[in-house]
Amino acid sequence: METGVKFTDISLGRSKERRRDDPNTFEYTYKAEITNIHRLTPKESLYRIQILDPEERIRFTFSPGQFVMLELPGIGEAPFSISSPPSRHGDVELCIRSVGNLTNFLSKVGRGARVGIRGPFGTSFPTWEMHGQNVLLVAGGLGLAPLRTPIAYVQENRSRFGDADIVYGTKDPSQLLFTYQYDMWRADDINLRLIVEKGGPSWDGPVGMITTALDEILAAKPPSYFQKTFAIVCGPPVMFKFVCTMLNEREVPMQKMFVSLERRMHCGMGKCCRCNVGSTYTCLKGPVFDYWTVMNLKEAI
Amino acid sequence: MKKRARRHRREEGHGRTDMIFRTLGKAELPKLFGVMAAGGKIVAPVEAGRDRENRPVYVFRETARFEEAALSYTTTKLPAKRYFLPYREDLATFRIEGDDWQKLVDYNVDRPRIFFGLHPCDINALNRLDKVLLNGVYPMPYYVAKRKNMFIVGIDCLPQPYCFCRSMGADTALHGFDMFLTDLGDDYFVEILSDTAYNFLRCVRTSEPGEDDHARYMKAVSRKNDKFIAHVDTTDLTKILDMEFQSEVWKQWGDRCLACGTCANVCPTCYCYGVEETVSVDLGSARKTKTLYSCNLLDFAEVAGGHNFRPERHVRLKYRYYHKHRGFVEAYEEPLCVGCGRCGESCLAGITVPEVIASVRGEGA
Ligand SMILES: Cc1cc2nc3c(=O)[nH]c(=O)nc-3n(C[C@H](O)[C@H](O)[C@H](O)COP(=O)(O)OP(=O)(O)OC[C@H]3O[C@@H](n4cnc5c(N)ncnc54)[C@H](O)[C@@H]3O)c2cc1C
Ligand code: SF4
Ligand code: SF4
Ligand code: FES
């Protein structure tokens, strides 16, 4: 007769594919390389990051709006929205602003640096549901980074959308991101409206709040537009609150407006609880929420 | 077919099976302890000293001596959490070689442990943690690996004035243990849930319980039920917490709270954490370390650039209640609190769960 407690080794049950229900996936990091760095402004750079293993790179799929945890061994780990089109798989671009420990360190590394990526995590903008409809993309500041993925999706699938408008505002002209892409967007019949809060000698565009630019765009639309429009709004909470209220006044349903929430995150997998809004996990139920849900979250805005 | 499925379930250890009952003479218990100690490390409640009022202070710690196990203990100051959710542990280490690195992941457990004498609240705390950390999306291997290697002998208890486990549905443990002992006077009534426990019991003398043992068991249970003093009214609590989100009482509790985080530290169900990475002095290696955190601490929800989503104490304190008594209930139909009363006993500001919830319900603080 056998007595005694046997040791159970859970790592023996490791699955070969990375499955969410396999505990051995939890701390798995794709090893990746920074293949290029594009300085956009003094504070923001676009990092092109490629998963090294070719098979893993292809198998890495995500939807617009999802994020990854970027890890620099010994420095830290933090969440960033994927800013490149899903068609590029695990050859992702992250647009990162230097604000703290990890992001400042990142601004000093060069091409070829080896980093880790976990994910993709979180919810996404339901681009497929938007087919046949108009899309209105509103970004404030760094909010353009997560919007770049749906923009690319619209470009790749232009025939499936009606009007496509981008309204983008920053504090001043020097903070405008991805300026080199504006002509390409316009060439793909995407209407781009820029606005800055404070102009300058080199700026001959409109000056004011983002809501001013949005007002102008909306004023030119026929009433039928609002029934057939999806909106994605990315930026600071005060901004999306104003924007979503404006849209709702024009009868765009709250369930057809999407925002991306930013909270502190230490895991991305519903474990550390740092990202909770009320009792909702931003990393699992978000970061993309429809505005109706956000309105009903305690502590959201 | 049916038989095979059942045997399979039994082998899982912590799964639900039909219970087998035995009685065990008290004189046999040291022998059982000895058999277990011969095969593995035992963690048991042990008297560590006395407090200012000369009451014993209990801790869970490893012991190989039966006499040291204080089986009629009240409540330990700290839960057995450090064995399944250590305050600090490495999630990974890195070997850094020039520009490249290798990530090494270890779940920090190399042997099973026997927990001899866990109360129902602490067993239920594990069952509730299982829902998030073991059975939810993205199971957490550091917890899973330790939990799967816990052999648990539960033991019944007498409610202390601060215990409100009954209100939290945590006064009896239905599963999540291997064997459970209820004191019948000269014997223990033994519930057996795993074959490992069954095999241990074959090394000592047990008997088939008779009608009188059943009667003694039920008497023991009702004696326990009569002892409860603290209660929490959970009727409609999730809705009430929503309605009273802006209530002034939160501010009153917030004014008293020291934001020290002790409540989370002593709580058997608090699992929130933070992660930090450090590099060795010679830059040859790095580690990624997880530290349990408390949502009452100032920077819990602070993000880069200095914005803090919960800058005020009362907002953080409210969040803790909100997570435990609303969010978790909504997701899993039971609170993330087992009513052990440890947080209230340890709080220097005297903040207790029954009082906070009563005040939110408008029943006077
Ligand atoms: C879903 C999501 C998407 C994001 N996308 C982008 C993006 O595309 N570009 C970009 O520049 N920034 C983005 N951020 C913000 C980015 O995560 C923070 O700027 C970053 O964590 C700062 O890390 P740090 O180490 O430099 O700062 P520190 O202040 O030193 O932070 C230390 C740690 O705190 C946590 N933390 C601090 N601030 C934040 C924060 N705002 N959000 C989450 N965790 C935080 C992280 O774990 C971080 O490692 C995103 C945040 C979230 C939640
Ligand atoms: S409730 Fe009590 S134990 Fe918890 S943080 Fe406040 S003072 Fe500390
Ligand atoms: S919140 Fe307090 S009473 Fe509830 S389980 Fe945690 S320590 Fe025990
Ligand atoms: S980031 Fe850890 S729980 Fe959401």
Side-chain angles (χ1 to χ4, degrees), chain A residues 8-52:
Chain A
T8 308
D9 186 354
I10 66 160
S11 56
L12 298 178
R14 203 180 292 260
S15 66
K16 257 190 102 186
E17 335 80 85
R18 315 247 64 90
R19 287 189 5 216
R20 286 182 6 154
D21 60 348
D22 175 3
N24 295 299
T25 297
F26 192 88
E27 201 46 54
Y28 184 80
T29 305
Y30 294 108
K31 199 190 272 190
E33 183 168 314
I34 298 181
T35 51
N36 214 344
I37 302 169
H38 191 143
R39 304 248 172 255
L40 300 173
T41 75
K43 286 222 140 237
E44 286 108 359
S45 293
L46 185 70
Y47 296 83
R48 231 176 133 146
I49 300 173
Q50 190 177 78
I51 293 178
L52 285 177

Side-chain angles (χ1 to χ4, degrees), chain A residues 8 20 23-24 26-27 29 31 71 74 77 114 263-264 266 271 274 276 278-279 281 298-299, chain B residues 100-101 103 107 132 137-138 141 149 199 202 271-272 275 277 288 300 302 309-310 319 322 326:
Chain A
T8 308
R20 286 182 6 154
N24 295 299
F26 192 88
E27 201 46 54
T29 305
K31 199 190 272 190
E71 181 165 35
E77 192 180 42
R114 296 275 163 98
R263 284 295 183 280
R264 185 161 185 152
H266 282 244
K271 298 293 173 275
R274 302 302 282 271
N276 277 207
S279 46
Y281 291 84
K298 301 268 182 252
E299 309 190 303
Chain B
D100 204 4
W101 46 265
K103 185 173 186 174
Y107 303 147
V132 190
V137 279
Y138 303 112
N149 284 295
N199 286 339
R202 280 162 66 172
Y271 61 89
C272 303
V275 176
E277 301 202 8
K288 182 178 191 182
F300 187 83
E302 190 177 273
F309 286 96
R310 292 191 206 102
Y319 164 74
Y322 215 70
R326 186 203 177 268

Side-chain angles (χ1 to χ4, degrees), chain A residues 70-109:
Chain A
L70 177 69
E71 181 165 35
L72 267 67
I75 307 299
E77 192 180 42
F80 298 98
S81 302
I82 305 175
S83 194
S84 47
S87 53
R88 294 222 340 225
H89 290 263
D91 189 1
V92 297
E93 286 173 340
L94 306 179
C95 172
I96 297 176
R97 174 182 285 174
S98 305
V99 284
N101 194 16
L102 176 113
T103 48
N104 286 334
F105 187 90
L106 200 60
S107 70
K108 292 186 203 92
V109 306

